[in-house]
Amino acid sequence: MTLQEYDYARESPSKLAASCLLLALTMKNLGGWSPTLEYYSGYRGQDLHPLVKKLNFLLTYQPHDKLKAVRTKYSHKVFFEVAKVTPMDMLKLEEKLKSC
């Protein structure tokens, strides 16, 4: 979804991928940013927090009237229906990010 937004073009692809992973881990309650992830990604969890919040905001306020192809594609069972996952409440996300 970030490929369709100019705001994310200036972000490093590796930082964007790491932030997406941290958001997914947080949304699914699979833990936080571990020392292993920090070592192999090169990013500290705290450095990813602003981008994670921005990504969650993108999911929350996604315009539904245009660019539906990506959402339709990832709503299919083959892709585990990830487009149907409900975004996190911003306050809950903030709390979880503080704990990791």
Side-chain angles (χ1 to χ4, degrees):
M1 291 177 61
T2 59
L3 292 173
Q4 303 168 3
E5 302 290 332
Y6 289 117
D7 292 344
Y8 296 92
R10 66 177 154 245
E11 297 293 343
S12 155
S14 63
K15 187 173 185 180
L16 189 58
S19 298
C20 289
L21 177 60
L22 179 55
L23 179 59
L25 291 171
T26 306
M27 290 173 82
K28 293 299 222 172
N29 293 317
L30 296 174
W33 201 247
S34 68
T36 304
L37 289 171
E38 183 175 328
Y39 176 79
Y40 284 106
S41 71
Y43 296 106
R44 294 179 335 153
Q46 294 82 5
D47 297 338
L48 301 175
H49 290 181
L51 188 52
V52 169
K53 292 175 196 173
K54 193 174 169 183
L55 288 166
N56 192 60
F57 185 81
L58 175 67
L59 292 174
T60 305
Y61 296 103
Q62 175 67 26
H64 297 287
D65 57 341
K66 60 180 182 174
L67 303 173
K68 292 182 183 182
V70 173
R71 184 169 297 277
T72 302
K73 177 180 179 178
Y74 288 98
S75 293
H76 194 271
K77 287 181 183 180
V78 172
F79 296 104
F80 303 103
E81 299 177 330
V82 295
K84 295 179 181 179
V85 174
T86 308
M88 289 190 71
D89 178 65
M90 292 302 264
L91 294 175
K92 288 181 183 177
L93 178 62
E94 188 81 38
E95 287 175 20
K96 287 195 173 201
L97 289 176
K98 285 181 184 177
S99 67
C100 64

